[in-house]
Amino acid sequence: MFPATDGISNIISDTMKVVFQRRLVDRVLRLWKEMAHRQPFPRRDQIEPAMLGVDWLNCLVIAVKSPVRLSTFVYVGENLSFTRCPDESLAGVLLSHLPQVLSERRCLMIEGLTRLRDLDILYRSALYPLAEDGIAIDHVLGAANYRPLRENEDSIAPFVRTKWL
């Protein structure tokens, strides 16, 4: 009655795969889900830099401490480095959302407009919980990228939008 494959369905499916591959946060989420497999969270040692390739430069790893304000960066990718401007970095933006991820025990995407090193930027980032035992979150993987605001884009007041993944 129906064809085995629908041409439009294949086109939509292929398009979605391309779009899904374009976003850093989606590529890292796919890897995170593959590593978690049947556990709630993957282990930190399952996330290998080689698996992320050049995306690793846009990633960071946070060691979770109690209280959460004592949490520290274990790794910060070159593109997220905060050595020059510790108070103005995407790493700092991600760290500020750590309590939400820990309380909800879910992946969180953060998008927004902010000022970074005297430059207005649009960014998209995400935090992915990790757990050695698959249950207690002891590290969080972060991924972020940004672009400068274009001349024709209005520099509006900073905004942040979050979405649970």
Side-chain angles (χ1 to χ4, degrees), residues 12 15 18 22-23 32 41 43 47 49-50 63 67 73 78 80 90 101 107 129 139 147 149 157 160:
I12 291 170
T15 302
V18 169
R22 278 187 30 199
R23 289 186 174 175
W32 183 88
F41 309 113
R43 296 184 322 271
I47 309 297
F73 293 107
E78 186 178 317
L80 303 179
L90 283 180
V101 171
C107 298
H139 287 83
R147 68 166 176 81
L149 214 53
V160 174

Side-chain angles (χ1 to χ4, degrees), residues 73-155:
F73 293 107
V74 175
Y75 167 78
V76 178
E78 186 178 317
N79 294 341
L80 303 179
S81 176
F82 58 95
T83 54
R84 286 181 252 148
C85 302
D87 295 331
E88 294 182 3
S89 70
L90 283 180
V93 170
L94 280 133
L95 189 60
S96 71
H97 291 278
L98 185 60
Q100 287 177 275
V101 171
L102 297 176
S103 67
E104 288 290 325
R105 300 178 54 78
R106 297 167 62 184
C107 298
L108 178 67
M109 182 172 68
I110 308 109
E111 299 175 306
L113 174 101
T114 192
R115 192 151 187 86
L116 181 64
R117 300 183 190 109
D118 298 324
L119 185 66
D120 289 328
I121 64 162
L122 286 172
Y123 68 91
R124 179 176 289 123
S125 58
L127 293 170
Y128 314 88
L130 305 172
E132 185 63 33
D133 63 2
I135 299 168
I137 300 169
D138 52 16
H139 287 83
V140 172
L141 172 66
N145 57 7
Y146 65 94
R147 68 166 176 81
L149 214 53
R150 296 183 185 112
E151 283 185 33
N152 61 345
E153 291 177 310
D154 291 329
S155 178

